[in-house]
Amino acid sequence: MRKAARELRNEAHVTVRRADKTAAFVLIDTEEYHDKFDLILGDSPKFEKPSYNPIEEIKREANKTIEKNNAATNAVHFQTITGDFSPSYLYGNVKTHKNGNPLRPIISHCRTPTYHLAKRFICLLTPYVPNVYSVDSSTEFLGKIKGSLTSGTIASLDVESLFTNVPFGETIDLILEKVYRDPSTSTLNIPPNSA
């Protein structure tokens, strides 16, 4: 099986991708795969092709913010960003459970300059995320409904391209409101003007 997969990866006209939400793999015509991405990336308000490699500029701007924060507080310090990095890259998993087998676009930031900084922020901001109406996994959800004797209706809502439809400015305002102005939460030990 692995030998066959390796041989298929060497075929220029065949792209091997994971199926979305399953452990299966899908063989898709490479031209069709690229056409599906052209449709996704053609949504110009959400995606813009850069005219240059922004890595050094991103490092410089992030380091300015890090230095400003580190100078303003002794509570939470961040490491400056050093080293060589790559731009994020885009790939797609095939939604075999949907008509036309669209792609779920996934942008990997693992080798980008701000990847570790973002992971640090996840740890810092997770305590501010309300968990009253959310669960961490489908296993936890199933456990909750199996143990419940109440009646009702369960509905599943699907938002097309959820993450590319999240409004950045409003999201940042909501986070700042929760972290710095909500009396029910403790304030994050980062000055708001450097966050």
Side-chain angles (χ1 to χ4, degrees), residues 1 11 37 50 59 62 69 83 119 132 139 152 154 157 178 183 186:
M1 185 74 144
E11 294 290 329
F37 262 123
K59 281 171 52 176
N69 173 76
K119 285 183 78 163
V132 177
T139 305
I154 295 174
L157 304 176
K178 185 72 175 172
S186 59

Side-chain angles (χ1 to χ4, degrees), residues 175-191:
I175 292 168
L176 292 173
E177 181 69 31
K178 185 72 175 172
V179 170
Y180 293 107
R181 294 181 281 282
D182 187 333
S184 68
T185 60
S186 59
T187 301
L188 184 63
N189 287 323
I190 297 174

Side-chain angles (χ1 to χ4, degrees), residues 60-120:
R60 189 170 46 255
E61 290 301 315
N63 280 333
K64 272 196 230 176
T65 303
I66 288 168
E67 288 166 9
K68 183 178 174 184
N69 173 76
N70 289 350
T73 181
N74 288 323
V76 179
H77 276 255
F78 298 95
Q79 276 191 307
T80 54
I81 299 167
T82 59
D84 294 325
F85 298 93
S86 304
S88 54
Y89 65 91
L90 177 71
Y91 63 95
N93 289 347
V94 182
K95 296 181 180 183
T96 56
H97 57 288
K98 300 237 175 158
N99 288 337
N101 302 119
L103 299 179
R104 176 181 303 282
I106 300 166
I107 302 173
S108 174
H109 295 279
C110 293
R111 298 192 43 88
T112 63
T114 55
Y115 175 72
H116 293 289
L117 183 62
K119 285 183 78 163
R120 178 89 187 277

Side-chain angles (χ1 to χ4, degrees), residues 12 24 43 51-52 82 95 119 133 149 195:
D43 192 347
S51 57
Y52 66 99
T82 59
K95 296 181 180 183
K119 285 183 78 163
Y133 303 108
L149 298 175

